[in-house]
Amino acid sequence: MSKGADVVVAGGGAAGCCIAYLLSKAGLQVTLVEREAVGSHSSGFAFGGMTPQYGPGIPGPMLPLSLTSIDLHQRLAQELREATGIETHFRRRPTLKLSYTEEEVQASQRDIVWQRRDGLDVRWMTPDEARAIEPRIGPAVLGVHYMEPAASVDSYRYVLALVQAAEKHGATVRHGTVIGLRRQGGRVMAVALEKEEVPCDTAVLCVGPWSGAASTWLGLPVPIEPVKGQLIRVQVEGPPLACAFWWAGGYCESKAADGLVWTGATHEHVGFDEVPTPAGRAELMERLVRAFPWMAEGRIVRHTACLRPTSADGLPVLGPVPGWEGVYVATGGGAKGVLLSAVMARAVADLVLAGRTDLDIAAMSPTRFASATMPTIPGAGAQGH
Ligand SMILES: Cc1cc2nc3c(=O)[nH]c(=O)nc-3n(C[C@H](O)[C@H](O)[C@H](O)COP(=O)(O)OP(=O)(O)OC[C@H]3O[C@@H](n4cnc5c(N)ncnc54)[C@H](O)[C@@H]3O)c2cc1C
């Protein structure tokens, strides 16, 4: 039995690191258990875009939470810079969504109606109006959906800064694989690793795409599927892109941290396979060149693939676990897990510290899958990639 903690956080991605940071900052003794390295999966390789206009539960319960999360990111960026000296490159900037077909034009124009009604700063632009912002938009574009608020962050630096700041507040980061939980009288008493147990009062499970394993630990379905995404980074002559761009199935932006144009992403249902493929690379480059023909002169300098933790209904799985006093799940951010990590962490910190949160997280309740059949849960029991 190793030295105990107030809270054990399992998983060193964006969700786990942000929770570890907030709880250690509040004075709790936190141990973060990560089986590889912090930020070694999608949290360290994500595009880092924040677009609250789209995603599962939008319009709906995830819109206010996404907007709140952007505000929380802005505050975190400053706090983390002061605490660690790490620049996370959080910045607010517009996102322009490009339409290539009449159907896409109509869909964007319909979305603009509800987005304006919900108070978002969105509008329709002709390609030439958009070229006043970014002159290199290609001729295949029929129209442009201007979207604010929007933002981005360097997700690896974000995770790194969170974990360093947590350590400054006394958190311990340790290597290990969580294999289960122990409880006494309904209350968690330890988190089990492969060779030992870490005693604790509270456990927070943030093991991302591997969260299906928690189904067997908890006796409650946590139906999370890994959805593979590939991303390329392109070196190209010329000034950086003026803002971020989106199109059906993809996006791109010039990143301040490395000066490269990042573009993604594929959506593949291939289990825990994280290997980049020539087909993925070709698809991403083709889409980038359709948006910006001058990118054809670019050189791909990095190609990565990682896994989005995606729930059966697309919404995160967040909150207390019934039947396990002191146990919380925070996962299922899907394609928005970097954006949502800040608000998910805030909610968990509220629940752990005060027993309640003002954030409306009902739609994300872990109990909503309670009637699912346990053996069909993707990823359940998975330990590998
Ligand atoms: C190509 C791509 C682009 C993306 N772009 C964006 C974007 O622009 N904006 C956005 O908001 N989101 C984006 N995402 C989604 C985002 O990256 C994820 O939703 C988010 O990073 C998930 O964070 P997490 O902490 O839940 O999981 P992860 O980052 O996967 O972290 C989970 C951690 O748990 C560890 N672990 C697993 N099992 C155990 C165990 N048993 N014991 C101990 N540790 C364990 C793993 O090693 C891992 O480090 C993108 C994803 C992809 C694939």
Side-chain angles (χ1 to χ4, degrees):
M1 185 86 68
S2 77
K3 189 168 157 285
D6 295 328
V7 183
V8 172
V9 177
C17 291
C18 199
I19 289 166
Y21 169 62
L22 293 184
L23 291 178
S24 57
K25 189 178 128 196
L28 297 188
Q29 184 55 54
V30 176
T31 296
L32 175 72
V33 181
E34 164 57 49
R35 74 171 172 199
E36 293 179 38
V38 293
S40 57
H41 289 281
S42 62
S43 299
F45 295 90
F47 180 68
M50 305 188 194
T51 39
Q53 292 78 7
Y54 288 100
I58 296 173
M62 296 312 294
L63 176 59
L65 292 169
S66 301
L67 293 168
T68 301
S69 211
I70 291 187
D71 293 343
L72 292 171
H73 268 282
Q74 181 156 9
R75 263 179 268 156
L76 275 172
Q78 188 179 339
E79 243 173 81
L80 295 174
R81 191 183 308 116
E82 284 164 10
T84 66
I86 295 174
E87 175 54 63
T88 63
H89 294 291
F90 173 89
R91 58 174 171 156
R92 289 181 181 266
R93 79 295 179 267
T95 293
L96 303 192
K97 185 168 182 231
L98 311 178
S99 293
Y100 296 110
T101 65
E102 274 310 321
E103 292 73 37
E104 287 171 8
V105 168
Q106 283 164 22
S108 262
Q109 289 180 339
R110 277 194 303 274
D111 289 339
I112 285 172
V113 174
W114 75 256
Q115 289 170 354
R116 290 177 87 109
R117 190 192 61 220
D118 281 6
L120 302 172
D121 177 9
V122 293
R123 55 186 184 272
W124 185 248
M125 289 179 149
T126 65
D128 279 341
E129 284 167 339
R131 285 188 192 104
I133 299 173
E134 174 48 71
R136 294 164 290 185
I137 292 172
V141 173
L142 298 184
V144 176
H145 178 168
Y146 176 99
M147 304 193 287
E148 280 196 285
S152 67
V153 72
D154 182 301
S155 60
Y156 181 64
R157 284 166 175 253
Y158 166 64
V159 170
L160 202 65
L162 285 168
V163 85
Q164 282 192 15
E167 286 179 307
K168 287 197 171 192
H169 286 294
T172 303
V173 179
R174 56 163 300 172
H175 194 253
T177 299
V178 173
I179 57 166
L181 301 170
R182 304 279 172 259
R183 69 180 152 181
Q184 200 168 41
R187 174 148 207 117
V188 68
M189 53 173 292
V191 169
L193 311 186
E194 279 171 321
K195 293 195 176 127
E196 62 184 308
E197 294 187 353
V198 186
C200 61
D201 299 326
T202 301
V204 190
L205 306 178
C206 311
V207 293
W210 296 272
S211 297
S215 304
T216 47
W217 306 341
L218 301 168
L220 177 81
V222 186
I224 296 289
E225 186 194 3
V227 178
K228 177 177 173 182
Q230 302 188 43
L231 213 142
I232 55 174
R233 303 181 198 184
V234 178
Q235 190 173 42
V236 65
E237 291 295 319
L241 290 166
C243 57
F245 292 87
W246 251 39
W247 48 82
Y251 41 71
C252 74
E253 181 180 27
S254 296
K255 294 291 183 182
D258 60 11
L260 301 173
V261 175
W262 292 32
T263 187
T266 60
H267 281 75
E268 302 165 65
H269 296 263
V270 290
F272 289 91
D273 168 10
E274 289 180 280
V275 180
T277 64
R281 180 185 171 105
E283 176 189 327
L284 295 173
M285 197 60 191
E286 188 186 312
R287 290 181 183 185
L288 181 65
V289 170
R290 180 165 63 157
F292 298 102
W294 122 89
M295 295 280 181
E297 295 160 21
R299 190 170 65 91
I300 299 171
V301 295
R302 197 153 181 213
H303 180 193
T304 56
C306 48
L307 306 171
R308 306 170 183 90
T310 307
S311 76
D313 62 9
L315 301 184
V317 181
L318 180 76
V321 176
W324 284 87
E325 209 181 323
V327 178
Y328 302 85
V329 179
T331 186
K336 313 227 102 176
V338 173
L339 164 62
L340 294 173
S341 62
V343 78
M344 288 164 71
R346 176 77 271 156
V348 170
D350 288 349
L351 291 168
V352 171
L353 296 166
R356 59 179 299 281
T357 180
D358 290 338
L359 296 163
D360 184 359
I361 59 168
M364 297 184 273
S365 169
T367 59
R368 70 190 190 275
F369 302 113
S371 58
T373 315
M374 293 276 294
T376 61
I377 298 159
Q383 294 290 324
H385 305 164

